[in-house]
Amino acid sequence: MTIDRGPWKSYVLLAMMLGIVLAGCAGAPSSSSSSPKSQDDLLTAAGFTSYMAKTPQSLAYLKTLPPQEIVKHNYQGTNRFLVCTDQNSKACYVGDEAAFQRYQNLANQEDIAARKRNVTQERWDPEALQLWADSQWIGR
């Protein structure tokens, strides 16, 4: 008496191929997680506020900031951070300590260059205080 193993082999082979295909799909990175994020995207995701210079004085001040670097301002014991991602733009990003910490975590995950994720300068400029106040709608 012989046992017909033909259909059984086909099912086992089909199950093995399906398992290999599914394992390959599970290991492939998704396109959304592998695409690099820009510094602007990370700053926004971290909670920095976009600020547009409204006066010639504000614009002139923004031009003094190093492009794509973080400048820390300390006012009455509170740290504020300014980042201009494009020196030819009228916009910059302003954030507080919590936004800066979130940005550093995101930048580390995205492997952003150190000069773009760490403070490169510490200043105390009255113009920076006004930018911060304007960005938070204080004094309007």
Side-chain angles (χ1 to χ4, degrees):
M1 176 175 200
T2 61
I3 300 174
D4 186 18
R5 294 187 180 157
W8 179 253
K9 286 182 185 179
S10 297
Y11 291 127
V12 169
L13 184 59
L14 180 63
M16 286 175 41
M17 288 175 41
L18 185 60
I20 291 170
V21 169
L22 290 176
C25 290
S30 69
S31 61
S32 64
S33 66
S34 64
S35 62
K37 306 248 184 319
S38 72
Q39 186 180 28
D40 297 281
D41 293 339
L42 295 176
L43 289 164
T44 301
F48 276 73
T49 303
S50 179
Y51 171 79
M52 185 71 66
K54 296 175 183 76
T55 66
Q57 294 84 4
S58 295
L59 183 57
Y61 176 71
L62 292 183
K63 300 273 185 206
T64 70
L65 299 173
Q68 300 181 335
E69 295 182 13
I70 301 167
V71 178
K72 178 170 88 171
H73 297 270
N74 186 299
Y75 179 72
Q76 296 181 347
T78 303
N79 291 327
R80 304 290 185 220
F81 300 87
L82 291 174
V83 184
C84 289
T85 57
D86 179 1
Q87 198 166 26
N88 297 320
S89 173
K90 293 181 178 183
C92 72
Y93 292 89
V94 294
D96 58 11
E97 188 73 43
F100 174 68
Q101 294 301 323
R102 286 189 299 269
Y103 172 74
Q104 280 200 310
N105 290 334
L106 292 170
N108 284 332
Q109 291 171 11
E110 291 292 323
D111 198 25
I112 298 291
R115 73 174 187 82
K116 291 183 180 181
R117 75 172 175 256
N118 296 322
V119 171
T120 58
Q121 292 184 20
E122 289 191 39
R123 295 183 178 182
W124 190 93
D125 298 326
E127 296 89 348
L129 178 60
Q130 188 59 50
L131 286 176
W132 175 258
D134 289 348
S135 73
Q136 304 302 306
W137 301 357
I138 299 169
R140 287 188 190 178

